[in-house]
Amino acid sequence: MATLKFLSFLILQLFLIANNCEGVEVGFYKKTCPNVEAIVKETTKHYISIAPTLAAPLLRMHFHDCFVRGCDGSVLLNSTKGNKAEKDAIPNQSLRGFQVIDAAKSALEKECPGIVSCSDILALAARDAVSLSDQNKMSYFFVIHINGPTWAVPLGRRDGRVSILSEASKNLPTPFDNFTTLKTTFGCIGTKCQRPCCSISRLYNFTGKGDMDPNMDQNYINHLKIKCMPGDVTTIVEMDPASFKSFDIDYYTMVSKRRGLFTSDVTLLTNTQTKHYVLSQLNPHGSTFFKDFGESMVKMGQIGVLTGNAGEIRKHCAFRN
């Protein structure tokens, strides 16, 4: 589940900026909708039990929402009256999991109508998707399957009324960004568990001269070339082979061996700080990844939130009131 792991690492950069938002807190709906977390979790669990690969897309959707106008649910809005929304931007056209958010919203409108925002539902679903993912741990003779990490989600966000395609296209980083760009935007590439071959420019035309990226492991390149022919726009390859349903530290192992798919993967080894972090996660017993991940998600979930009387509480997540 490479999206979850790579996203976590880059969101750690958020600790470098101040947290200046107010109005979100753990237990925000304690009196007005006490069952909110249970309802969202049960809904998320139902869908992930049917389609385990939805876990990473739900996290990705939360990230794509927060890094455009803040965590305001604007990525959930449909286009209206000829105005294209964030959902229609190229990085967002492959988002999945909207049905999970819609189902949770429908259930909550029956339980406590007009109370819980779509942006809060998205933040909770992202957390629950991660916690419901398998974490593979080796015992003496077999693999133990346990859930991924969890964290307390501060709530109280309200939904935005604006969603603009061009803002998503401008603000979401790409797989081709170098370390400086990634750190500046405190972002992550728009990825999920799998990516089309056409997005892996490192195989055949890295510098525009028909060459390969010399920073990529040659054996891995040969492996990918078997699956990805030049110009292939349909074949899908895993970012983190064999981890599409699990939450583990294998992504860092792949990066350390120069087997990350994208420039934005290998660039983590070009900076002293990020290289140290990648290497420090390779020891399963000494890894801080789970702890860092939860703290990072709390930080990300407080970017540009609307609280108090700002925004609205949508009745339907895809439409403004």
Side-chain angles (χ1 to χ4, degrees), residues 248-260:
D248 49 43
I249 60 173
D250 286 351
Y251 169 76
Y252 296 107
T253 301
M254 295 291 288
V255 170
S256 69
K257 294 180 177 180
R258 299 186 298 122
R259 293 184 178 182

Side-chain angles (χ1 to χ4, degrees), residues 34-53:
N35 294 325
V36 56
E37 296 204 31
I39 291 173
V40 174
K41 185 171 184 177
E42 283 304 309
T43 303
T44 306
K45 182 178 181 179
H46 168 73
Y47 280 92
I48 288 186
S49 68
I50 299 172
T53 59

Side-chain angles (χ1 to χ4, degrees), residues 115-129:
I115 299 297
V116 182
S117 68
C118 297
S119 49
D120 273 347
I121 294 172
L122 181 52
L124 287 170
R127 186 271 308 274
D128 294 337

